[in-house]
Amino acid sequence: MLEAVLFDMDGVIIDTEPFFLRSESMLLKEFGVDTELEYHFRYQGTTHEYMWEAMKNEFNLDAPVGELVERANVIRNRLMEEDGLQPIPGVISFIARLHEAGVPLAIASSSPLTDIHKAVKALDIEKYFSYFVSGESVAHSKPAPDIFLDAAENLKANPENCVVIEDSRNGVASAHAAGCKCIGFRNLEFPPQDLSLATVIVTGFSDLDADYCRALID
């Protein structure tokens, strides 16, 4: 029986991935490091702290991790203010269909909780969700299962009766490790992520509803 649907946010609900990729690349350039945008795909689904700790070590960046995170956030927020937040096509209607069907919903994102609330308010979708959890709030970030186990627990759902919506290799691995079913969203605007651990892979949300999610459980 389907007990809950757990959404990642960046790249699933809002089209923020280009902002993340550009801000990371722009900040690295300030340290004299040139990277292709594709380099940053490996960090999709992880926390900002994990990502910048890894890049600090790889490129010997002469700045504390906290400073790197903050500087990247400043760049990203400026880019988002200039271009505006946009939802992934079809996802808000999908969320509304699940809500109307009485399916409990949560957002389980590696982004800071302040960013989660800012995004859902901007898109006017906060009313659809019963719970929000950030990667900051759990002991281990994706690909560890902690964030989805936390979301399931707070919705009083069994992880094996939950469906996760994810777009990254790390996120899909996290859902798999938590014992959840997973819909892997492949955004055709970007080079493909390894979503092989997903239960199913889709390229859009227009045909998805509560019955589709129930069928993955049943």
Side-chain angles (χ1 to χ4, degrees), residues 133-175:
V133 58
S134 163
E136 298 174 323
S137 306
V138 295
H140 303 98
S141 63
K142 302 173 187 178
D146 301 34
I147 197 166
F148 293 122
L149 294 176
D150 178 276
E153 180 180 1
N154 278 275
L155 292 182
K156 296 181 171 55
N158 295 316
E160 61 268 25
N161 291 330
C162 294
V163 172
V164 167
I165 318 295
E166 267 287 356
D167 71 317
S168 70
R169 176 180 60 84
N170 289 314
V172 168
S174 175

mmCIF file of all heavy atoms in Angstrom, residues 133-175:
data_model
loop_
_atom_site.group_PDB
_atom_site.id
_atom_site.type_symbol
_atom_site.label_atom_id
_atom_site.label_comp_id
_atom_site.label_asym_id
_atom_site.label_seq_id
_atom_site.Cartn_x
_atom_site.Cartn_y
_atom_site.Cartn_z
ATOM 1 N N VAL A 133 12.485 18.076 5.096
ATOM 2 C CA VAL A 133 13.725 17.719 5.771
ATOM 3 C C VAL A 133 14.899 18.070 4.868
ATOM 4 O O VAL A 133 14.867 17.849 3.652
ATOM 5 C CB VAL A 133 13.759 16.227 6.176
ATOM 6 C CG1 VAL A 133 13.576 15.313 4.975
ATOM 7 C CG2 VAL A 133 15.048 15.898 6.920
ATOM 8 N N SER A 134 15.919 18.637 5.489
ATOM 9 C CA SER A 134 17.126 19.052 4.783
ATOM 10 C C SER A 134 18.269 18.094 5.090
ATOM 11 O O SER A 134 18.290 17.444 6.143
ATOM 12 C CB SER A 134 17.499 20.469 5.223
ATOM 13 O OG SER A 134 18.829 20.775 4.889
ATOM 14 N N GLY A 135 19.243 18.058 4.188
ATOM 15 C CA GLY A 135 20.436 17.265 4.443
ATOM 16 C C GLY A 135 21.200 17.738 5.662
ATOM 17 O O GLY A 135 21.973 16.981 6.253
ATOM 18 N N GLU A 136 20.975 18.995 6.063
ATOM 19 C CA GLU A 136 21.620 19.527 7.263
ATOM 20 C C GLU A 136 21.105 18.853 8.531
ATOM 21 O O GLU A 136 21.773 18.874 9.572
ATOM 22 C CB GLU A 136 21.330 21.023 7.391
ATOM 23 C CG GLU A 136 21.845 21.879 6.264
ATOM 24 C CD GLU A 136 21.380 23.315 6.397
ATOM 25 O OE1 GLU A 136 20.234 23.547 6.837
ATOM 26 O OE2 GLU A 136 22.180 24.208 6.081
ATOM 27 N N SER A 137 19.914 18.266 8.447
ATOM 28 C CA SER A 137 19.218 17.778 9.635
ATOM 29 C C SER A 137 19.483 16.313 9.952
ATOM 30 O O SER A 137 18.996 15.809 10.960
ATOM 31 C CB SER A 137 17.704 17.989 9.474
ATOM 32 O OG SER A 137 17.409 19.334 9.167
ATOM 33 N N VAL A 138 20.203 15.626 9.074
ATOM 34 C CA VAL A 138 20.453 14.197 9.273
ATOM 35 C C VAL A 138 21.949 13.951 9.399
ATOM 36 O O VAL A 138 22.768 14.775 8.988
ATOM 37 C CB VAL A 138 19.856 13.355 8.125
ATOM 38 C CG1 VAL A 138 18.340 13.454 8.119
ATOM 39 C CG2 VAL A 138 20.426 13.772 6.773
ATOM 40 N N ALA A 139 22.295 12.802 9.966
ATOM 41 C CA ALA A 139 23.699 12.514 10.250
ATOM 42 C C ALA A 139 24.521 12.336 8.973
ATOM 43 O O ALA A 139 25.673 12.768 8.896
ATOM 44 C CB ALA A 139 23.802 11.266 11.123
ATOM 45 N N HIS A 140 23.936 11.698 7.965
ATOM 46 C CA HIS A 140 24.679 11.401 6.740
ATOM 47 C C HIS A 140 23.853 11.825 5.533
ATOM 48 O O HIS A 140 22.669 11.501 5.432
ATOM 49 C CB HIS A 140 25.000 9.909 6.647
ATOM 50 C CG HIS A 140 25.772 9.387 7.818
ATOM 51 N ND1 HIS A 140 25.156 8.729 8.872
ATOM 52 C CD2 HIS A 140 27.086 9.467 8.136
ATOM 53 C CE1 HIS A 140 26.068 8.408 9.774
ATOM 54 N NE2 HIS A 140 27.239 8.843 9.357
ATOM 55 N N SER A 141 24.489 12.535 4.609
ATOM 56 C CA SER A 141 23.800 13.019 3.420
ATOM 57 C C SER A 141 23.676 11.907 2.379
ATOM 58 O O SER A 141 24.269 10.833 2.503
ATOM 59 C CB SER A 141 24.546 14.217 2.838
ATOM 60 O OG SER A 141 25.847 13.849 2.416
ATOM 61 N N LYS A 142 22.883 12.169 1.347
ATOM 62 C CA LYS A 142 22.793 11.233 0.228
ATOM 63 C C LYS A 142 24.198 10.998 -0.329
ATOM 64 O O LYS A 142 24.995 11.924 -0.363
ATOM 65 C CB LYS A 142 21.912 11.837 -0.873
ATOM 66 C CG LYS A 142 20.490 12.191 -0.424
ATOM 67 C CD LYS A 142 19.751 12.949 -1.523
ATOM 68 C CE LYS A 142 18.409 13.452 -1.034
ATOM 69 N NZ LYS A 142 17.671 14.240 -2.043
ATOM 70 N N PRO A 143 24.557 9.776 -0.669
ATOM 71 C CA PRO A 143 23.716 8.616 -0.963
ATOM 72 C C PRO A 143 23.346 7.737 0.238
ATOM 73 O O PRO A 143 22.781 6.662 0.029
ATOM 74 C CB PRO A 143 24.571 7.819 -1.947
ATOM 75 C CG PRO A 143 25.978 8.115 -1.523
ATOM 76 C CD PRO A 143 25.955 9.559 -1.085
ATOM 77 N N ALA A 144 23.680 8.145 1.466
ATOM 78 C CA ALA A 144 23.202 7.416 2.639
ATOM 79 C C ALA A 144 21.677 7.530 2.703
ATOM 80 O O ALA A 144 21.092 8.484 2.179
ATOM 81 C CB ALA A 144 23.833 7.980 3.903
ATOM 82 N N PRO A 145 20.997 6.600 3.361
ATOM 83 C CA PRO A 145 19.530 6.582 3.356
ATOM 84 C C PRO A 145 18.875 7.512 4.362
ATOM 85 O O PRO A 145 17.644 7.638 4.376
ATOM 86 C CB PRO A 145 19.216 5.124 3.704
ATOM 87 C CG PRO A 145 20.343 4.706 4.590
ATOM 88 C CD PRO A 145 21.564 5.399 4.013
ATOM 89 N N ASP A 146 19.673 8.187 5.188
ATOM 90 C CA ASP A 146 19.140 8.895 6.358
ATOM 91 C C ASP A 146 17.973 9.825 6.052
ATOM 92 O O ASP A 146 16.973 9.858 6.775
ATOM 93 C CB ASP A 146 20.249 9.710 7.036
ATOM 94 C CG ASP A 146 21.425 8.871 7.491
ATOM 95 O OD1 ASP A 146 21.743 7.880 6.808
ATOM 96 O OD2 ASP A 146 22.041 9.219 8.511
ATOM 97 N N ILE A 147 18.087 10.610 4.990
ATOM 98 C CA ILE A 147 17.096 11.658 4.754
ATOM 99 C C ILE A 147 15.724 11.086 4.411
ATOM 100 O O ILE A 147 14.690 11.594 4.856
ATOM 101 C CB ILE A 147 17.592 12.641 3.665
ATOM 102 C CG1 ILE A 147 16.791 13.939 3.712
ATOM 103 C CG2 ILE A 147 17.585 12.004 2.290
ATOM 104 C CD1 ILE A 147 17.432 15.070 2.927
ATOM 105 N N PHE A 148 15.701 9.987 3.663
ATOM 106 C CA PHE A 148 14.419 9.384 3.312
ATOM 107 C C PHE A 148 13.853 8.562 4.469
ATOM 108 O O PHE A 148 12.631 8.493 4.637
ATOM 109 C CB PHE A 148 14.556 8.543 2.045
ATOM 110 C CG PHE A 148 14.839 9.381 0.826
ATOM 111 C CD1 PHE A 148 15.976 9.165 0.066
ATOM 112 C CD2 PHE A 148 13.973 10.406 0.455
ATOM 113 C CE1 PHE A 148 16.242 9.953 -1.040
ATOM 114 C CE2 PHE A 148 14.236 11.199 -0.648
ATOM 115 C CZ PHE A 148 15.369 10.970 -1.407
ATOM 116 N N LEU A 149 14.713 7.975 5.269
ATOM 117 C CA LEU A 149 14.242 7.290 6.475
ATOM 118 C C LEU A 149 13.618 8.297 7.438
ATOM 119 O O LEU A 149 12.585 8.022 8.067
ATOM 120 C CB LEU A 149 15.394 6.549 7.148
ATOM 121 C CG LEU A 149 15.982 5.372 6.360
ATOM 122 C CD1 LEU A 149 17.183 4.785 7.102
ATOM 123 C CD2 LEU A 149 14.924 4.291 6.125
ATOM 124 N N ASP A 150 14.231 9.476 7.553
ATOM 125 C CA ASP A 150 13.699 10.530 8.408
ATOM 126 C C ASP A 150 12.331 10.989 7.906
ATOM 127 O O ASP A 150 11.382 11.140 8.690
ATOM 128 C CB ASP A 150 14.667 11.702 8.445
ATOM 129 C CG ASP A 150 14.162 12.861 9.286
ATOM 130 O OD1 ASP A 150 13.378 13.688 8.773
ATOM 131 O OD2 ASP A 150 14.557 12.948 10.463
ATOM 132 N N ALA A 151 12.220 11.214 6.608
ATOM 133 C CA ALA A 151 10.947 11.671 6.044
ATOM 134 C C ALA A 151 9.856 10.635 6.244
ATOM 135 O O ALA A 151 8.724 10.967 6.630
ATOM 136 C CB ALA A 151 11.120 11.980 4.561
ATOM 137 N N ALA A 152 10.169 9.362 5.986
ATOM 138 C CA ALA A 152 9.179 8.303 6.180
ATOM 139 C C ALA A 152 8.728 8.224 7.635
ATOM 140 O O ALA A 152 7.531 8.132 7.927
ATOM 141 C CB ALA A 152 9.754 6.962 5.724
ATOM 142 N N GLU A 153 9.689 8.292 8.539
ATOM 143 C CA GLU A 153 9.355 8.212 9.965
ATOM 144 C C GLU A 153 8.429 9.349 10.380
ATOM 145 O O GLU A 153 7.459 9.138 11.114
ATOM 146 C CB GLU A 153 10.635 8.246 10.796
ATOM 147 C CG GLU A 153 10.391 8.172 12.298
ATOM 148 C CD GLU A 153 11.668 8.215 13.118
ATOM 149 O OE1 GLU A 153 12.759 8.316 12.512
ATOM 150 O OE2 GLU A 153 11.577 8.164 14.355
ATOM 151 N N ASN A 154 8.713 10.552 9.900
ATOM 152 C CA ASN A 154 7.907 11.698 10.307
ATOM 153 C C ASN A 154 6.533 11.716 9.640
ATOM 154 O O ASN A 154 5.624 12.395 10.130
ATOM 155 C CB ASN A 154 8.659 12.996 10.025
ATOM 156 C CG ASN A 154 9.648 13.330 11.126
ATOM 157 O OD1 ASN A 154 9.285 13.925 12.132
ATOM 158 N ND2 ASN A 154 10.899 12.907 10.962
ATOM 159 N N LEU A 155 6.362 10.982 8.567
ATOM 160 C CA LEU A 155 5.038 10.817 7.963
ATOM 161 C C LEU A 155 4.364 9.553 8.461
ATOM 162 O O LEU A 155 3.274 9.206 7.990
ATOM 163 C CB LEU A 155 5.152 10.781 6.432
ATOM 164 C CG LEU A 155 5.567 12.082 5.747
ATOM 165 C CD1 LEU A 155 5.596 11.904 4.241
ATOM 166 C CD2 LEU A 155 4.655 13.234 6.121
ATOM 167 N N LYS A 156 5.031 8.868 9.417
ATOM 168 C CA LYS A 156 4.508 7.613 9.983
ATOM 169 C C LYS A 156 4.245 6.584 8.883
ATOM 170 O O LYS A 156 3.226 5.893 8.868
ATOM 171 C CB LYS A 156 3.231 7.876 10.805
ATOM 172 C CG LYS A 156 3.480 8.758 12.028
ATOM 173 C CD LYS A 156 2.212 8.981 12.822
ATOM 174 C CE LYS A 156 2.496 9.683 14.147
ATOM 175 N NZ LYS A 156 3.240 10.961 14.000
ATOM 176 N N ALA A 157 5.206 6.489 7.974
ATOM 177 C CA ALA A 157 5.107 5.556 6.853
ATOM 178 C C ALA A 157 6.265 4.574 6.895
ATOM 179 O O ALA A 157 7.352 4.886 7.388
ATOM 180 C CB ALA A 157 5.145 6.332 5.535
ATOM 181 N N ASN A 158 6.027 3.375 6.397
ATOM 182 C CA ASN A 158 7.094 2.394 6.239
ATOM 183 C C ASN A 158 7.877 2.730 4.974
ATOM 184 O O ASN A 158 7.272 2.971 3.915
ATOM 185 C CB ASN A 158 6.522 0.985 6.116
ATOM 186 C CG ASN A 158 5.823 0.536 7.376
ATOM 187 O OD1 ASN A 158 6.327 0.732 8.476
ATOM 188 N ND2 ASN A 158 4.647 -0.061 7.233
ATOM 189 N N PRO A 159 9.206 2.775 5.048
ATOM 190 C CA PRO A 159 9.991 3.133 3.854
ATOM 191 C C PRO A 159 9.656 2.279 2.629
ATOM 192 O O PRO A 159 9.616 2.807 1.502
ATOM 193 C CB PRO A 159 11.435 2.914 4.310
ATOM 194 C CG PRO A 159 11.388 3.123 5.791
ATOM 195 C CD PRO A 159 10.063 2.574 6.228
ATOM 196 N N GLU A 160 9.392 1.000 2.834
ATOM 197 C CA GLU A 160 9.097 0.135 1.692
ATOM 198 C C GLU A 160 7.757 0.464 1.038
ATOM 199 O O GLU A 160 7.478 0.008 -0.076
ATOM 200 C CB GLU A 160 9.130 -1.335 2.102
ATOM 201 C CG GLU A 160 8.118 -1.715 3.178
ATOM 202 C CD GLU A 160 8.694 -1.613 4.586
ATOM 203 O OE1 GLU A 160 9.648 -0.840 4.793
ATOM 204 O OE2 GLU A 160 8.171 -2.331 5.477
ATOM 205 N N ASN A 161 6.941 1.280 1.717
ATOM 206 C CA ASN A 161 5.659 1.716 1.153
ATOM 207 C C ASN A 161 5.712 3.168 0.689
ATOM 208 O O ASN A 161 4.669 3.792 0.502
ATOM 209 C CB ASN A 161 4.536 1.532 2.179
ATOM 210 C CG ASN A 161 4.234 0.066 2.439
ATOM 211 O OD1 ASN A 161 4.406 -0.775 1.552
ATOM 212 N ND2 ASN A 161 3.806 -0.249 3.639
ATOM 213 N N CYS A 162 6.926 3.674 0.519
ATOM 214 C CA CYS A 162 7.117 5.042 0.043
ATOM 215 C C CYS A 162 7.712 5.044 -1.358
ATOM 216 O O CYS A 162 8.520 4.170 -1.700
ATOM 217 C CB CYS A 162 8.058 5.812 0.974
ATOM 218 S SG CYS A 162 7.412 6.089 2.643
ATOM 219 N N VAL A 163 7.316 6.021 -2.146
ATOM 220 C CA VAL A 163 7.914 6.251 -3.460
ATOM 221 C C VAL A 163 8.696 7.556 -3.412
ATOM 222 O O VAL A 163 8.180 8.581 -2.954
ATOM 223 C CB VAL A 163 6.847 6.320 -4.566
ATOM 224 C CG1 VAL A 163 7.464 6.761 -5.895
ATOM 225 C CG2 VAL A 163 6.156 4.969 -4.729
ATOM 226 N N VAL A 164 9.930 7.505 -3.837
ATOM 227 C CA VAL A 164 10.811 8.676 -3.882
ATOM 228 C C VAL A 164 10.916 9.161 -5.321
ATOM 229 O O VAL A 164 10.982 8.354 -6.254
ATOM 230 C CB VAL A 164 12.210 8.306 -3.340
ATOM 231 C CG1 VAL A 164 13.224 9.393 -3.656
ATOM 232 C CG2 VAL A 164 12.151 8.043 -1.844
ATOM 233 N N ILE A 165 10.924 10.486 -5.494
ATOM 234 C CA ILE A 165 11.149 11.078 -6.816
ATOM 235 C C ILE A 165 12.524 11.734 -6.794
ATOM 236 O O ILE A 165 12.766 12.674 -6.040
ATOM 237 C CB ILE A 165 10.086 12.142 -7.166
ATOM 238 C CG1 ILE A 165 8.684 11.681 -6.750
ATOM 239 C CG2 ILE A 165 10.158 12.468 -8.650
ATOM 240 C CD1 ILE A 165 8.167 10.485 -7.482
ATOM 241 N N GLU A 166 13.438 11.253 -7.615
ATOM 242 C CA GLU A 166 14.826 11.717 -7.609
ATOM 243 C C GLU A 166 15.353 11.892 -9.026
ATOM 244 O O GLU A 166 14.865 11.253 -9.962
ATOM 245 C CB GLU A 166 15.724 10.720 -6.861
ATOM 246 C CG GLU A 166 15.922 11.018 -5.386
ATOM 247 C CD GLU A 166 16.832 12.226 -5.140
ATOM 248 O OE1 GLU A 166 17.357 12.779 -6.128
ATOM 249 O OE2 GLU A 166 17.013 12.584 -3.979
ATOM 250 N N ASP A 167 16.382 12.731 -9.146
ATOM 251 C CA ASP A 167 16.971 12.955 -10.469
ATOM 252 C C ASP A 167 18.470 12.706 -10.518
ATOM 253 O O ASP A 167 19.067 12.819 -11.586
ATOM 254 C CB ASP A 167 16.698 14.388 -10.942
ATOM 255 C CG ASP A 167 17.509 15.420 -10.164
ATOM 256 O OD1 ASP A 167 17.596 15.295 -8.925
ATOM 257 O OD2 ASP A 167 18.049 16.345 -10.795
ATOM 258 N N SER A 168 19.089 12.385 -9.386
ATOM 259 C CA SER A 168 20.543 12.246 -9.363
ATOM 260 C C SER A 168 20.967 10.838 -8.952
ATOM 261 O O SER A 168 20.204 10.097 -8.312
ATOM 262 C CB SER A 168 21.163 13.250 -8.387
ATOM 263 O OG SER A 168 20.864 12.896 -7.039
ATOM 264 N N ARG A 169 22.184 10.485 -9.332
ATOM 265 C CA ARG A 169 22.733 9.186 -8.938
ATOM 266 C C ARG A 169 22.750 9.037 -7.430
ATOM 267 O O ARG A 169 22.358 8.006 -6.890
ATOM 268 C CB ARG A 169 24.152 9.040 -9.500
ATOM 269 C CG ARG A 169 24.869 7.748 -9.082
ATOM 270 C CD ARG A 169 26.266 7.696 -9.686
ATOM 271 N NE ARG A 169 27.079 8.812 -9.259
ATOM 272 C CZ ARG A 169 27.769 8.841 -8.109
ATOM 273 N NH1 ARG A 169 27.722 7.819 -7.284
ATOM 274 N NH2 ARG A 169 28.509 9.887 -7.795
ATOM 275 N N ASN A 170 23.210 10.085 -6.727
ATOM 276 C CA ASN A 170 23.276 10.004 -5.270
ATOM 277 C C ASN A 170 21.891 9.891 -4.638
ATOM 278 O O ASN A 170 21.693 9.164 -3.666
ATOM 279 C CB ASN A 170 23.998 11.233 -4.716
ATOM 280 C CG ASN A 170 25.480 11.214 -5.016
ATOM 281 O OD1 ASN A 170 26.152 10.210 -4.843
ATOM 282 N ND2 ASN A 170 26.009 12.332 -5.488
ATOM 283 N N GLY A 171 20.934 10.616 -5.189
ATOM 284 C CA GLY A 171 19.581 10.570 -4.645
ATOM 285 C C GLY A 171 18.923 9.224 -4.856
ATOM 286 O O GLY A 171 18.265 8.685 -3.944
ATOM 287 N N VAL A 172 19.075 8.657 -6.048
ATOM 288 C CA VAL A 172 18.511 7.340 -6.334
ATOM 289 C C VAL A 172 19.159 6.279 -5.437
ATOM 290 O O VAL A 172 18.483 5.395 -4.911
ATOM 291 C CB VAL A 172 18.687 6.995 -7.824
ATOM 292 C CG1 VAL A 172 18.376 5.535 -8.080
ATOM 293 C CG2 VAL A 172 17.792 7.887 -8.677
ATOM 294 N N ALA A 173 20.472 6.377 -5.253
ATOM 295 C CA ALA A 173 21.169 5.432 -4.372
ATOM 296 C C ALA A 173 20.658 5.560 -2.938
ATOM 297 O O ALA A 173 20.515 4.557 -2.219
ATOM 298 C CB ALA A 173 22.671 5.674 -4.425
ATOM 299 N N SER A 174 20.375 6.792 -2.497
ATOM 300 C CA SER A 174 19.846 7.025 -1.156
ATOM 301 C C SER A 174 18.480 6.374 -0.994
ATOM 302 O O SER A 174 18.201 5.708 0.017
ATOM 303 C CB SER A 174 19.751 8.528 -0.894
ATOM 304 O OG SER A 174 19.136 8.808 0.340
ATOM 305 N N ALA A 175 17.603 6.558 -1.981
ATOM 306 C CA ALA A 175 16.269 5.954 -1.927
ATOM 307 C C ALA A 175 16.365 4.434 -1.909
ATOM 308 O O ALA A 175 15.653 3.754 -1.149
ATOM 309 C CB ALA A 175 15.444 6.419 -3.125
#
